[in-house]
Amino acid sequence: MENGTLMKKQVLLYYCVEMEDLARKIASDSDCIHLHSINWRSFDDGFPNLFINNAHNIRGQHVAFLASFSSPAVIFEQLSVIFALPRLFVASFTLVLPFFPTGSFERMEEEGDVATAFTMARILSNIPISRGGPTSVVIYDIHALQERFYFGDHVLPLFETGIPLLKQRLQQLPESEKIVIAFPDDGAWKRFYKQLGHYPSLICTKVREGDKRIVRLKEGNPEGRHVVIVDDLVQSGGTLIECQKVLAAHGAAKVSAYVTHGVFPKRSWERFMHKNDGSEKAFTYFWITDSCPLTVKAIANKAPFEVISLAGSIADALQT
């Protein structure tokens, strides 16, 4: 103890290529986090040829790795580093994986389905134990809460959320007293309603009509309000677009959206962009975090998108 407060630990943070911008933000947010690099090279046959810089100097240090499993093509090289770092006699090891990418593939609906979320959790559960004990794995807003039970006893999952960052942003908006939170389905409501409990809420639902699934307003009144749709992730964005139409039809003055993970495969973020043709703007704001760095670069300076950085939250988590 010093001056009645606990000394913060010094953390050496390694990172993958995609996460360099976020890593630099994390380091600038805390005097206790120091960046270290890895040489990400490949042999002629395409397999990784990796080198951990300053490997001798990290003995006895608290070490973390900031990962992005944005595609299967980049996972193997990062796993190779993740499995190597704890073996370098480090005091502790933390894996920061803001987006757990297989999270939406967590269940079997018929015999033969492969729950790849379980496979990924099993792989990460076999990260070697460091001198300080099991690896801590920091994940933000994992898609299905039961996935925490997929991890074995050799790792300690730490599940964080981006919702406090959203709340800070909402408080900065004009007429923040008119904000209402909308959940696109019951699952999102169960996940987030307690964290957003001081806001009035709406719940949408999907109902089947013939061969189609139609979004309906299940509960609440959006009339005259700024409605913010909240979910953990977005892929194609179809559900969010249908929710916006329903809310607008029920009298919402504005509609915005927040997701922690803006996955947006095949440039599906383009569906949400404001056009300069004078047409009505469906979404006033669309907030995402920087958990998916490829998306962050793609939507830079494009309305209605705003990026809320996880940097400060991750810096705090590395002190846990």
Side-chain angles (χ1 to χ4, degrees):
M1 285 225 178
E2 182 173 307
N3 297 326
T5 60
L6 288 173
M7 290 286 289
K8 288 190 173 182
K9 63 185 178 185
Q10 302 295 310
V11 179
L12 309 184
L13 178 61
Y14 289 87
Y15 52 89
C16 69
V17 174
E18 288 180 15
M19 283 298 197
E20 181 174 356
D21 288 346
L22 179 54
R24 293 193 181 282
K25 289 180 183 176
I26 295 168
S28 67
D29 205 77
S30 173
D31 294 335
C32 300
I33 296 174
H34 312 280
L35 297 186
H36 283 239
S37 62
I38 292 165
N39 292 344
W40 301 95
R41 305 168 300 191
S42 297
F43 291 108
D44 291 341
D45 61 3
F47 274 84
N49 176 16
L50 309 169
F51 185 80
I52 298 170
N53 294 308
N54 302 310
H56 285 289
N57 297 330
I58 69 174
R59 293 179 180 179
Q61 304 292 319
H62 299 286
V63 173
F65 181 77
L66 179 60
S68 174
F69 290 179
S70 59
S71 75
V74 300
I75 292 177
F76 178 66
E77 63 181 13
Q78 292 182 64
L79 285 175
S80 299
V81 170
I82 290 164
F83 274 64
L85 284 169
R87 294 181 177 274
L88 295 175
F89 295 94
V90 300
S92 69
F93 180 62
T94 301
L95 169 62
V96 183
L97 181 63
F99 175 46
F100 186 73
T102 54
S104 55
F105 309 106
E106 86 285 358
R107 61 182 178 270
M108 295 172 57
E109 295 184 347
E110 62 176 310
E111 193 67 34
D113 284 341
V114 177
T116 51
F118 182 58
T119 304
M120 180 62 71
R122 290 177 69 187
I123 291 172
L124 297 180
S125 295
N126 283 286
I127 297 172
I129 293 175
S130 69
R131 289 174 62 188
T135 292
S136 299
V137 182
V138 181
I139 298 172
Y140 280 79
D141 290 319
I142 198 165
H143 183 68
L145 295 178
Q146 69 267 21
E147 289 172 30
R148 69 184 60 208
F149 304 113
Y150 293 175
F151 291 88
D153 294 337
H154 291 162
V155 295
L156 300 174
L158 175 60
F159 296 106
E160 295 282 1
T161 178
I163 296 299
L165 303 174
L166 169 64
K167 290 164 68 174
Q168 291 175 16
R169 182 66 184 95
L170 294 182
Q171 290 165 7
Q172 298 167 358
L173 295 178
E175 299 184 315
S176 59
E177 72 279 358
K178 291 187 177 182
I179 291 173
V180 173
I181 302 298
F183 301 103
D185 52 40
D186 287 324
W189 177 80
K190 289 176 184 177
R191 294 194 51 136
F192 297 122
Y193 83 95
K194 288 184 179 179
Q195 298 177 66
L196 294 161
H198 62 291
Y199 287 104
S201 65
L202 312 166
I203 303 175
C204 295
T205 188
K206 291 180 180 178
V207 296
R208 186 170 293 281
E209 293 186 359
D211 294 333
K212 297 181 179 180
R213 297 185 72 189
I214 309 298
V215 174
R216 294 279 185 260
L217 183 60
K218 176 182 178 182
E219 188 177 306
N221 181 13
E223 187 173 358
R225 298 298 193 103
H226 181 180
V227 183
V228 179
I229 307 170
V230 174
D231 209 351
D232 62 319
L233 61 82
V234 60
Q235 296 265 5
S236 69
T239 298
L240 291 179
I241 289 172
E242 293 305 311
C243 282
Q244 184 277 331
K245 291 178 180 177
V246 169
L247 295 167
H250 282 79
K254 299 177 184 176
V255 178
S256 296
Y258 165 86
V259 296
T260 303
H261 311 297
V263 185
F264 290 122
K266 299 180 180 178
R267 297 174 63 90
S268 55
W269 50 266
E270 291 179 342
R271 305 174 70 183
F272 297 88
M273 281 182 57
H274 288 175
K275 297 179 175 61
N276 295 320
D277 57 5
S279 60
E280 185 178 354
K281 296 173 175 58
F283 287 84
T284 304
Y285 299 98
F286 198 128
W287 295 288
I288 65 172
T289 75
D290 41 8
S291 67
C292 298
L294 299 181
T295 298
V296 170
K297 290 182 179 179
I299 57 91
N301 302 313
K302 292 181 174 67
F305 293 103
E306 281 188 17
V307 177
I308 302 175
S309 183
L310 295 173
S313 178
I314 292 173
D316 291 340
L318 289 175
Q319 292 296 328
T320 301

